[in-house]
Amino acid sequence: MTKTKIITLIGALLLGITSAFAQNAHFTNSGVIEYEKSVNMFALLKKQVDQYKDDTWLEQAYDSYRKNQPQFKKLKSTLSFADDKAQFVPVEAEESRMFFSNNAMVNQNNTIFTDYSTGTFINQKSVFEETFLVKDSTRKIKWKITDETRDIAGYTCRRANAIILDSVYVVAFYTERIPTPGGPESFSGLPGMILGVALPHENISWFATKVTESVVDAKALTPPKKGKPTDNKGLLKTLNSAMKDWGNWGQTYWKAFLI
């Protein structure tokens, strides 16, 4: 057998193996994903304390928190999905009366219905004592896909990076085995489901802890209905007006409500 024939044979065998793998690959088209939001409270609060270095009371409160509370606050949420629709719902946590517990970065503010076929979403968003019903197009994120991979909840995921809100650095991990291009909160737009998101400079992450493949009726994924109607532009105008004199504190809350 000539060298050319050997190379041709090997190429045919590799093509056949790749084709067989593709045919046997299993894709999850509907189900429920459980996410855990993790907030590094020590790092988050230290940034706030450093903004007011002359406030000894705030420093003492922070030291007390470090001595008596866990470093990471954990919150739960679920994402139910069926083909091109998804519904993200926070799991209500026990009410905490600890100092710093009302920080907007720590809380879960969004209940989101997304239709990826139309590129639209409806978000019931809590902003302090008010609830908004935000209807608009999904966020356009310019992802940069890398070669790095990571296993999350039994799925091999590829890493992608992006910048949102002009300065917030995002690291995401998505799997093509779940074709729905969604993810936790408002993160979407990758060629598969996002199972992990980290905002390194904001000290927050969301990672899937469990993926349950099940038949989900897309008709059962219903948009939230309660709240003051607005869109992204209207919400941004409201936040800018309310927090224009808040300084660095305002920037933290501004990011929290827009993520």
Side-chain angles (χ1 to χ4, degrees):
M1 183 178 293
T2 66
K3 184 178 180 181
T4 302
K5 289 183 178 180
I6 292 173
I7 293 174
T8 302
L9 179 59
I10 292 174
L13 288 172
L14 291 174
L15 182 61
I17 292 171
T18 302
S19 177
F21 177 80
Q23 290 175 4
N24 294 321
H26 178 74
F27 294 91
T28 303
N29 294 303
S30 68
V32 179
I33 304 172
E34 298 175 25
Y35 289 95
E36 180 178 77
K37 178 181 180 181
S38 178
V39 185
N40 186 337
M41 295 297 294
F42 292 178
L44 186 68
L45 301 179
K46 184 64 166 64
K47 291 177 183 178
Q48 296 185 3
V49 171
D50 287 346
Q51 295 174 15
Y52 301 90
K53 294 182 179 180
D54 296 331
D55 192 330
T56 56
W57 179 86
L58 192 62
E59 183 72 38
Q60 291 172 357
Y62 169 67
D63 289 339
S64 176
Y65 190 98
R66 283 182 59 93
K67 292 176 182 177
N68 298 291
Q69 299 297 320
Q71 180 175 358
F72 294 93
K73 182 169 183 178
K74 307 288 188 178
L75 298 163
K76 308 294 183 181
S77 58
T78 64
L79 182 72
S80 302
F81 65 96
D83 297 324
D84 56 5
K85 293 181 176 60
Q87 189 169 27
F88 177 81
V89 180
V91 176
E92 188 173 351
E94 292 184 8
E95 184 178 357
S96 175
R97 296 185 179 180
M98 292 299 300
F99 189 65
F100 298 120
S101 63
N102 65 342
N103 187 301
M105 277 289 190
V106 180
N107 297 326
Q108 301 197 100
N109 308 303
N110 304 309
T111 298
I112 308 172
F113 170 86
T114 307
D115 186 335
Y116 301 106
S117 66
T118 60
T120 59
F121 75 91
I122 299 177
N123 181 5
Q124 186 179 71
K125 181 183 289 288
S126 298
V127 180
F128 299 119
E129 301 301 321
E130 193 164 8
T131 300
F132 293 91
L133 194 65
V134 186
K135 299 182 181 181
D136 215 313
S137 300
T138 54
R139 173 182 280 147
K140 301 300 186 289
I141 302 176
K142 294 182 179 180
W143 295 105
K144 182 178 180 180
I145 298 174
T146 75
D147 293 328
E148 181 181 341
T149 60
R150 177 173 179 175
D151 184 84
I152 302 175
Y155 290 79
T156 299
C157 299
R158 185 180 293 274
R159 174 175 173 168
N161 305 323
I163 300 290
I164 64 171
L165 303 177
D166 295 329
S167 62
V168 178
Y169 178 53
V170 182
V171 176
F173 292 89
Y174 72 95
T175 176
E176 294 180 350
R177 284 176 51 199
I178 305 178
T180 304
E185 299 285 355
S186 60
F187 298 102
S188 64
L190 282 164
M193 183 65 75
I194 298 172
L195 295 184
V197 175
L199 310 182
H201 303 306
E202 314 305 324
N203 309 114
I204 299 174
S205 66
W206 295 260
F207 278 89
T209 56
K210 184 179 181 181
V211 178
T212 302
E213 183 176 6
S214 59
V215 177
V216 175
D217 184 355
K219 295 180 180 179
L221 303 178
T222 57
K225 296 179 174 59
K226 295 182 179 180
K228 181 180 178 181
T230 188
D231 55 14
N232 285 334
K233 185 176 180 180
L235 178 66
L236 181 61
K237 182 178 179 180
T238 298
L239 293 176
N240 287 340
S241 176
M243 301 176 188
K244 61 182 179 181
D245 299 322
W246 286 28
N248 290 332
W249 280 94
Q251 279 296 308
T252 300
Y253 280 88
W254 185 85
K255 289 180 183 178
F257 290 130
L258 292 177
I259 288 172

